[in-house]
Amino acid sequence: MISVSLAPSPPPGGPPPPGRRQRLRARWADRHALPRFSYWLLSWGAVLLSVCGALYVLDGFLIGWADAYNVLTGITSPADVRPQWCAWPLSLTGWAAVPAIIGAAAGYVITEQIQAHHARDLSDVVDELRRLAERPGPPPSSGGGT
């Protein structure tokens, strides 16, 4: 009897295929090749958002979810809730960190858009400068000769 295998067997003596952990490491190492905004989101943006989220969850359990939201958005003063020790960092986060994160994200997006629209070839710029540097010719004659 002849047995037929449908899956090709790896060459003998070759290295095994990379595992899931090695593929994840390679992708994490390649994050520097991403555009600036994507890289920022994966590095600092994720850290800042996780800290803000952790503070919100902590306050949600300690002072209640509605009060935590109201303190984060500035509707309620942190002095009006109990315990105050956890409400003050959440209030400062909502007052300073959240607008900074949103502003940084918007700044990166706007910068990328501006750079994408301002990219011009060097030859186009040189041709335009040469055209502008040429002396203008004589004015066209008017055809109404009276």
Side-chain angles (χ1 to χ4, degrees), residues 68-134:
Y69 173 78
N70 289 336
V71 168
L72 180 69
T73 57
I75 296 171
T76 302
S77 170
D80 294 341
V81 296
R82 297 287 181 255
Q84 289 184 4
W85 64 268
C86 63
W88 283 103
L90 182 66
S91 177
L92 291 174
T93 299
W95 180 75
V98 171
I101 293 169
I102 293 169
Y108 277 121
V109 170
I110 290 169
T111 301
E112 292 294 325
Q113 289 297 315
I114 289 172
Q115 288 177 351
H117 291 326
H118 279 205
R120 295 176 59 186
D121 288 334
L122 181 61
S123 61
D124 293 341
V125 173
V126 170
D127 290 341
E128 184 178 349
L129 287 173
R130 286 183 181 149
R131 184 180 50 81
L132 291 172
E134 291 177 356

Side-chain angles (χ1 to χ4, degrees), residues 14-76:
R20 182 180 301 156
R21 180 177 291 170
Q22 291 162 337
R23 287 192 309 263
L24 286 174
R25 279 187 192 164
R27 284 191 180 173
W28 184 253
D30 290 342
R31 73 187 185 281
H32 294 288
L34 293 171
R36 289 177 56 188
F37 179 63
S38 301
Y39 175 75
W40 180 84
L41 277 178
L42 284 176
S43 58
W44 288 107
V47 171
L48 292 173
L49 288 174
S50 62
V51 168
C52 293
L55 275 172
Y56 180 74
V57 169
L58 174 70
D59 279 279
F61 283 118
L62 293 177
I63 65 174
W65 296 102
D67 284 337
Y69 173 78
N70 289 336
V71 168
L72 180 69
T73 57
I75 296 171
T76 302

Side-chain angles (χ1 to χ4, degrees), residues 136-144:
S141 62
S142 61

